[in-house]
Amino acid sequence: MLRVRRRARYLALVAASALALSACGSSGPAGGGSGEVRVWSLQDGVNKAEREAVAAYNKSADPKVKMETFLNDPYKQKLQVAMGSPQAPDVFMNWGGGNLKQYVDAGQVHDLTGALNADPAWRDRFLPVVMKTAQINGKYYGVPERGMQPIVLFYNKDVFAKAGQQPPKTWDDLLRLVDVFKDRGVTPFALAGSQAWTELMWLEYLLDRIGGPAPFQAIVERRPGAWKDPSVLRALTMIRELVDRGAFGTNYASVDYDVGGASTIFAQGKAAMHLMGSWEYATQLEQNPDFVKKDRMGWTAFPSVPGGQGDPKNIVGNPSNYMSVSAGSKDKEAAVRFLKEGLTSDAYIRGMISVGEVPAIKGVEPQLRSGPAPEYGTFIYGLVSGAPNFTQSWDQALPPNVAEAMLTNLSKLFLKDITPQQFADAMDKIK
């Protein structure tokens, strides 16, 4: 879940003024039935918008809302311990997908389907492609609460201009550019190869472009042989071909993302492109501000793969974070009312955009155009709102033991320690 930590860093940067709110990091839960709606969330830059929304909501609410915030890793542990116990919060933030499903399977999450269908205006405010990640077994167990984070192909405009090139639109374009930049002594792609989650982005996009969302859904459902699907093997093979072609240079295995290695190589023009989550914008703004402010960084969608079954408009990444209601809440009606009225208000949406978020709310383009990064914000919104499918990052969608094995084997593949077939065989044995 390293991307989650990157996200916190991103928000801390874009909403630097909100850092003062970190002092508001709260203590543990006060216990159920206290006559208030207790909301648990992460402690980060979004808290400014959250707290303002809570304050506005509490002016007329009965019972009132009390928000408690926690740092990322302690939050996950605290939530796991609390869920299903009398100490569970009424409303809790989660990552949707597999993270939420574990609580749904345990009967610890309130089904929001009835409430959403009873109020179509509320339900239809959210982008459907993002709502899917909170849909489990055909029912909704959460609503989007934070910004969208698709994976984007960034490129260095100066490097491209000097080479007389344009960003790739197809896989053939991409392969040609690998050779062009290698010949010019520029690493085609920055890659933080010491952290396998950065390598996973390549597999996620390639499988989707080749086979569409179905092959990964088979993996999620743990169908026998899913990891040996021909489309999976082809995606793995294409990655191996990229490595052999020199697309990532020769030192990628020692490059880190969290300390800025890959981003710096990219900003300095030592690499032409960088496949990364949308938080790369803020990372560059923090580490190499002139690279962003002088309009030297560009962004585009991941290329299409000729003959692939996947829609080139599909995206992968982190659809959003979600707010859900505990099944054990003693006042579910009040908890749902807060989700509906407190977290979709115009004031909350403005607050989200002001701290650099791109909310999963329909029709926010005008507000994004007046936000802190209008061109980039509207690009991200358009990328997501136009996507037929938004696949959640695999290391969040899969059970922890499967995700850990997958990242380990993927690292081996990038290091050429195993073949694509050996990767598939190893993953097929994971139970």
Side-chain angles (χ1 to χ4, degrees), residues 36 46 57 72 85 94 98 110 153 177 181 193 201 212 243 258 300 345 372 403:
E36 60 189 9
V46 169
Y57 179 80
N72 182 66
S85 80
N94 58 81
H110 177 59
L153 181 58
L177 286 171
F181 289 119
M201 296 174 180
V243 173
D258 287 343
T300 188
S345 66

PDB file of all heavy atoms in Angstrom, residues 36 46 57 72 85 94 98 110 153 177 181 193 201 212 243 258 300 345 372 403:
ATOM      1  N   GLU A  36     -23.698  10.676  19.300  1.00  0.00           N
ATOM      2  CA  GLU A  36     -23.033  11.376  18.200  1.00  0.00           C
ATOM      3  C   GLU A  36     -22.649  10.350  17.140  1.00  0.00           C
ATOM      4  O   GLU A  36     -22.566   9.150  17.415  1.00  0.00           O
ATOM      5  CB  GLU A  36     -21.788  12.102  18.704  1.00  0.00           C
ATOM      6  CG  GLU A  36     -20.756  11.187  19.326  1.00  0.00           C
ATOM      7  CD  GLU A  36     -19.626  11.939  20.014  1.00  0.00           C
ATOM      8  OE1 GLU A  36     -19.734  13.165  20.151  1.00  0.00           O
ATOM      9  OE2 GLU A  36     -18.661  11.287  20.425  1.00  0.00           O
ATOM     10  N   VAL A  46      -6.496  16.269   3.368  1.00  0.00           N
ATOM     11  CA  VAL A  46      -7.924  16.362   3.086  1.00  0.00           C
ATOM     12  C   VAL A  46      -8.717  16.718   4.341  1.00  0.00           C
ATOM     13  O   VAL A  46      -9.862  17.165   4.264  1.00  0.00           O
ATOM     14  CB  VAL A  46      -8.426  15.028   2.473  1.00  0.00           C
ATOM     15  CG1 VAL A  46      -9.949  14.986   2.415  1.00  0.00           C
ATOM     16  CG2 VAL A  46      -7.877  14.868   1.074  1.00  0.00           C
ATOM     17  N   TYR A  57     -22.016  20.920   8.745  1.00  0.00           N
ATOM     18  CA  TYR A  57     -23.110  19.955   8.949  1.00  0.00           C
ATOM     19  C   TYR A  57     -23.621  20.021  10.381  1.00  0.00           C
ATOM     20  O   TYR A  57     -24.837  19.969  10.631  1.00  0.00           O
ATOM     21  CB  TYR A  57     -22.585  18.557   8.638  1.00  0.00           C
ATOM     22  CG  TYR A  57     -23.602  17.453   8.840  1.00  0.00           C
ATOM     23  CD1 TYR A  57     -24.567  17.193   7.875  1.00  0.00           C
ATOM     24  CD2 TYR A  57     -23.581  16.674   9.993  1.00  0.00           C
ATOM     25  CE1 TYR A  57     -25.498  16.182   8.058  1.00  0.00           C
ATOM     26  CE2 TYR A  57     -24.506  15.659  10.179  1.00  0.00           C
ATOM     27  CZ  TYR A  57     -25.461  15.422   9.210  1.00  0.00           C
ATOM     28  OH  TYR A  57     -26.382  14.421   9.408  1.00  0.00           O
ATOM     29  N   ASN A  72      -1.882   6.581   8.535  1.00  0.00           N
ATOM     30  CA  ASN A  72      -2.257   5.503   7.629  1.00  0.00           C
ATOM     31  C   ASN A  72      -2.151   4.093   8.217  1.00  0.00           C
ATOM     32  O   ASN A  72      -3.161   3.384   8.354  1.00  0.00           O
ATOM     33  CB  ASN A  72      -1.399   5.606   6.371  1.00  0.00           C
ATOM     34  CG  ASN A  72      -1.759   4.554   5.339  1.00  0.00           C
ATOM     35  OD1 ASN A  72      -2.846   4.573   4.791  1.00  0.00           O
ATOM     36  ND2 ASN A  72      -0.849   3.638   5.101  1.00  0.00           N
ATOM     37  N   SER A  85     -16.811  -4.880  16.721  1.00  0.00           N
ATOM     38  CA  SER A  85     -16.823  -4.736  18.176  1.00  0.00           C
ATOM     39  C   SER A  85     -17.649  -3.502  18.543  1.00  0.00           C
ATOM     40  O   SER A  85     -17.985  -2.682  17.678  1.00  0.00           O
ATOM     41  CB  SER A  85     -15.390  -4.550  18.699  1.00  0.00           C
ATOM     42  OG  SER A  85     -14.970  -3.218  18.524  1.00  0.00           O
ATOM     43  N   ASN A  94     -12.398   3.857   3.875  1.00  0.00           N
ATOM     44  CA  ASN A  94     -11.733   2.640   3.409  1.00  0.00           C
ATOM     45  C   ASN A  94     -11.310   2.835   1.956  1.00  0.00           C
ATOM     46  O   ASN A  94     -11.521   3.897   1.374  1.00  0.00           O
ATOM     47  CB  ASN A  94     -12.667   1.436   3.568  1.00  0.00           C
ATOM     48  CG  ASN A  94     -13.962   1.611   2.807  1.00  0.00           C
ATOM     49  OD1 ASN A  94     -14.008   1.387   1.598  1.00  0.00           O
ATOM     50  ND2 ASN A  94     -15.023   2.090   3.489  1.00  0.00           N
ATOM     51  N   GLY A  98     -11.087  -4.987  -2.418  1.00  0.00           N
ATOM     52  CA  GLY A  98     -10.765  -6.055  -1.484  1.00  0.00           C
ATOM     53  C   GLY A  98     -10.664  -5.583  -0.056  1.00  0.00           C
ATOM     54  O   GLY A  98     -10.993  -6.323   0.886  1.00  0.00           O
ATOM     55  N   HIS A 110     -22.856  -1.810   6.608  1.00  0.00           N
ATOM     56  CA  HIS A 110     -24.266  -1.567   6.281  1.00  0.00           C
ATOM     57  C   HIS A 110     -24.440  -1.427   4.766  1.00  0.00           C
ATOM     58  O   HIS A 110     -23.678  -0.708   4.111  1.00  0.00           O
ATOM     59  CB  HIS A 110     -24.723  -0.288   6.988  1.00  0.00           C
ATOM     60  CG  HIS A 110     -26.124   0.115   6.673  1.00  0.00           C
ATOM     61  ND1 HIS A 110     -27.219  -0.700   6.921  1.00  0.00           N
ATOM     62  CD2 HIS A 110     -26.618   1.272   6.123  1.00  0.00           C
ATOM     63  CE1 HIS A 110     -28.323  -0.067   6.550  1.00  0.00           C
ATOM     64  NE2 HIS A 110     -27.984   1.118   6.060  1.00  0.00           N
ATOM     65  N   LEU A 153       0.659   8.457 -17.890  1.00  0.00           N
ATOM     66  CA  LEU A 153       1.977   8.461 -18.533  1.00  0.00           C
ATOM     67  C   LEU A 153       2.461   9.912 -18.645  1.00  0.00           C
ATOM     68  O   LEU A 153       1.914  10.708 -19.416  1.00  0.00           O
ATOM     69  CB  LEU A 153       1.903   7.816 -19.918  1.00  0.00           C
ATOM     70  CG  LEU A 153       3.249   7.740 -20.669  1.00  0.00           C
ATOM     71  CD1 LEU A 153       4.278   6.964 -19.855  1.00  0.00           C
ATOM     72  CD2 LEU A 153       3.063   7.120 -22.036  1.00  0.00           C
ATOM     73  N   LEU A 177       9.825   4.867 -29.643  1.00  0.00           N
ATOM     74  CA  LEU A 177      10.409   5.909 -28.796  1.00  0.00           C
ATOM     75  C   LEU A 177      11.497   5.353 -27.875  1.00  0.00           C
ATOM     76  O   LEU A 177      12.465   6.051 -27.553  1.00  0.00           O
ATOM     77  CB  LEU A 177       9.308   6.581 -27.963  1.00  0.00           C
ATOM     78  CG  LEU A 177       8.390   7.522 -28.748  1.00  0.00           C
ATOM     79  CD1 LEU A 177       7.210   7.959 -27.888  1.00  0.00           C
ATOM     80  CD2 LEU A 177       9.166   8.745 -29.251  1.00  0.00           C
ATOM     81  N   PHE A 181      15.078   7.281 -27.908  1.00  0.00           N
ATOM     82  CA  PHE A 181      15.712   7.910 -26.734  1.00  0.00           C
ATOM     83  C   PHE A 181      16.979   7.168 -26.309  1.00  0.00           C
ATOM     84  O   PHE A 181      17.927   7.776 -25.819  1.00  0.00           O
ATOM     85  CB  PHE A 181      14.700   8.028 -25.599  1.00  0.00           C
ATOM     86  CG  PHE A 181      13.636   9.059 -25.864  1.00  0.00           C
ATOM     87  CD1 PHE A 181      12.300   8.716 -25.935  1.00  0.00           C
ATOM     88  CD2 PHE A 181      13.990  10.384 -26.051  1.00  0.00           C
ATOM     89  CE1 PHE A 181      11.330   9.670 -26.199  1.00  0.00           C
ATOM     90  CE2 PHE A 181      13.022  11.360 -26.318  1.00  0.00           C
ATOM     91  CZ  PHE A 181      11.685  10.996 -26.394  1.00  0.00           C
ATOM     92  N   GLY A 193      12.595   0.861  -9.589  1.00  0.00           N
ATOM     93  CA  GLY A 193      12.543  -0.592  -9.555  1.00  0.00           C
ATOM     94  C   GLY A 193      12.834  -1.219  -8.209  1.00  0.00           C
ATOM     95  O   GLY A 193      12.691  -2.426  -8.047  1.00  0.00           O
ATOM     96  N   MET A 201       2.316  -1.194 -12.156  1.00  0.00           N
ATOM     97  CA  MET A 201       1.511  -0.332 -13.027  1.00  0.00           C
ATOM     98  C   MET A 201       1.591  -0.790 -14.481  1.00  0.00           C
ATOM     99  O   MET A 201       0.622  -0.698 -15.225  1.00  0.00           O
ATOM    100  CB  MET A 201       1.989   1.115 -12.899  1.00  0.00           C
ATOM    101  CG  MET A 201       1.798   1.692 -11.504  1.00  0.00           C
ATOM    102  SD  MET A 201       2.541   3.336 -11.343  1.00  0.00           S
ATOM    103  CE  MET A 201       2.150   3.697  -9.626  1.00  0.00           C
ATOM    104  N   GLY A 212      -8.697  -6.650 -21.744  1.00  0.00           N
ATOM    105  CA  GLY A 212      -9.808  -5.986 -21.096  1.00  0.00           C
ATOM    106  C   GLY A 212      -9.850  -6.325 -19.607  1.00  0.00           C
ATOM    107  O   GLY A 212      -8.935  -6.952 -19.069  1.00  0.00           O
ATOM    108  N   VAL A 243      12.149  -4.721 -20.799  1.00  0.00           N
ATOM    109  CA  VAL A 243      13.374  -4.783 -19.997  1.00  0.00           C
ATOM    110  C   VAL A 243      14.564  -5.115 -20.904  1.00  0.00           C
ATOM    111  O   VAL A 243      15.615  -4.453 -20.849  1.00  0.00           O
ATOM    112  CB  VAL A 243      13.237  -5.832 -18.873  1.00  0.00           C
ATOM    113  CG1 VAL A 243      14.574  -6.026 -18.153  1.00  0.00           C
ATOM    114  CG2 VAL A 243      12.152  -5.411 -17.880  1.00  0.00           C
ATOM    115  N   ASP A 258      10.073   6.814  -3.151  1.00  0.00           N
ATOM    116  CA  ASP A 258       9.742   7.588  -1.961  1.00  0.00           C
ATOM    117  C   ASP A 258      10.778   8.657  -1.637  1.00  0.00           C
ATOM    118  O   ASP A 258      10.447   9.672  -1.035  1.00  0.00           O
ATOM    119  CB  ASP A 258       9.541   6.667  -0.759  1.00  0.00           C
ATOM    120  CG  ASP A 258       8.239   5.892  -0.852  1.00  0.00           C
ATOM    121  OD1 ASP A 258       7.371   6.303  -1.645  1.00  0.00           O
ATOM    122  OD2 ASP A 258       8.092   4.890  -0.143  1.00  0.00           O
ATOM    123  N   THR A 300      -0.268  12.188 -20.531  1.00  0.00           N
ATOM    124  CA  THR A 300      -1.152  11.597 -21.534  1.00  0.00           C
ATOM    125  C   THR A 300      -1.637  10.237 -21.030  1.00  0.00           C
ATOM    126  O   THR A 300      -1.160   9.736 -20.004  1.00  0.00           O
ATOM    127  CB  THR A 300      -0.411  11.443 -22.878  1.00  0.00           C
ATOM    128  OG1 THR A 300      -1.341  11.052 -23.889  1.00  0.00           O
ATOM    129  CG2 THR A 300       0.686  10.386 -22.790  1.00  0.00           C
ATOM    130  N   SER A 345     -21.876  18.116  -0.193  1.00  0.00           N
ATOM    131  CA  SER A 345     -22.276  19.525  -0.245  1.00  0.00           C
ATOM    132  C   SER A 345     -21.333  20.300  -1.163  1.00  0.00           C
ATOM    133  O   SER A 345     -20.180  19.915  -1.389  1.00  0.00           O
ATOM    134  CB  SER A 345     -22.250  20.131   1.159  1.00  0.00           C
ATOM    135  OG  SER A 345     -20.912  20.179   1.644  1.00  0.00           O
ATOM    136  N   PRO A 372      -6.423  24.998  -8.123  1.00  0.00           N
ATOM    137  CA  PRO A 372      -4.983  25.288  -8.108  1.00  0.00           C
ATOM    138  C   PRO A 372      -4.221  24.740  -9.312  1.00  0.00           C
ATOM    139  O   PRO A 372      -3.127  25.215  -9.607  1.00  0.00           O
ATOM    140  CB  PRO A 372      -4.507  24.621  -6.805  1.00  0.00           C
ATOM    141  CG  PRO A 372      -5.507  23.540  -6.541  1.00  0.00           C
ATOM    142  CD  PRO A 372      -6.805  24.090  -7.040  1.00  0.00           C
ATOM    143  N   ALA A 403      -1.222 -10.395  -2.922  1.00  0.00           N
ATOM    144  CA  ALA A 403      -0.557  -9.165  -3.374  1.00  0.00           C
ATOM    145  C   ALA A 403       0.940  -9.210  -3.067  1.00  0.00           C
ATOM    146  O   ALA A 403       1.769  -8.817  -3.896  1.00  0.00           O
ATOM    147  CB  ALA A 403      -1.203  -7.958  -2.704  1.00  0.00           C
TER     148      ALA A 403
END
